[in-house]
């Protein structure tokens, strides 16, 4: 496992999720007040992007690497959430319903990285 790369990507995933959530939160919450799908959508897009960047250089055990990368991404994100959002009691859309955010992040991240690892081990011949 490329732990250093996974940690860097985990930090970038957390940072970009936070930045994009703060940029797009007024737009979506003013137009869709009863739907808080913004943060999960951002997590899916950003994790998918960095998951592809991580998995594409792995040659063996891609599924296991995907699971391990997902676990590292989750740990890094949870630690950074706790340090920068939970401890200072920041009012943010991410920590508004924090247990739901953690549960969705764990499920989404593990599914994406595991699926990317599964796809990376397949030999696809597009004619």
């Amino acid at each position: 496992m490329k732990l250093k790369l996974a940690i860097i990507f985990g930090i970038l995933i957390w940072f970009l999720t936070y930045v994009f959530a703060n940029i797009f939160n007024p737009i979506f919450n003013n137009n869709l007040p009863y739907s808080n799908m913004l943060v999960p959508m951002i997590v899916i897009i950003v994790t998918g992007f960095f998951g592809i960047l991580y998995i594409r250089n792995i040659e063996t055990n891609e599924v296991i690497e995907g699971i391990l990368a997902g676990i590292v991404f989750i740990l890094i994100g949870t630690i950074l959430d706790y340090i920068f959002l939970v401890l200072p009691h920041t009012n943010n859309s991410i920590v508004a319903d924090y247990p739901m955010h953690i549960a969705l992040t764990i499920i989404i991240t593990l599914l994406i990285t595991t699926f990317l690892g599964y796809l990376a081990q397949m030999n696809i011949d597009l004619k």
Side-chain angles (χ1 to χ4, degrees):
M1 173 173 203
K2 299 177 181 181
L3 186 61
K4 189 177 190 181
L5 186 63
I7 291 172
I8 291 169
F9 283 170
I11 292 169
L12 287 172
I13 289 169
W14 180 86
F15 180 74
L16 290 175
T17 301
Y18 178 76
V19 168
F20 289 146
N22 284 330
I23 290 171
F24 293 118
N25 194 29
I27 297 168
F28 280 91
N29 281 346
N30 290 338
N31 296 326
L32 302 168
Y34 299 111
S35 176
N36 194 6
M37 292 301 298
L38 178 66
V39 175
M41 286 188 312
I42 293 171
V43 169
I44 290 169
I45 293 167
V46 174
T47 303
F49 177 75
F50 284 106
I52 289 170
L53 291 179
Y54 180 83
I55 293 291
R56 71 179 179 177
N57 295 324
I58 305 297
E59 299 298 326
T60 59
N61 296 329
E62 291 92 347
V63 176
I64 301 298
E65 287 288 333
I67 293 170
L68 293 175
I71 291 171
V72 171
F73 295 167
I74 291 166
L75 288 175
I76 296 297
T78 304
I79 291 168
L80 292 174
D81 278 349
Y82 190 73
I83 291 171
F84 292 108
L85 301 176
V86 175
L87 284 179
H89 301 292
T90 305
N91 285 335
N92 191 318
S93 64
I94 292 175
V95 294
D97 188 9
Y98 192 67
M100 180 63 80
H101 168 72
I102 288 295
L104 284 175
T105 302
I106 290 171
I107 292 168
I108 291 169
T109 302
L110 283 178
L111 284 174
I112 289 173
T113 56
T114 304
F115 187 63
L116 286 173
Y118 174 72
L119 290 176
Q121 75 179 3
M122 297 175 69
N123 291 326
I124 300 173
D125 184 23
L126 298 175
K127 297 180 183 180

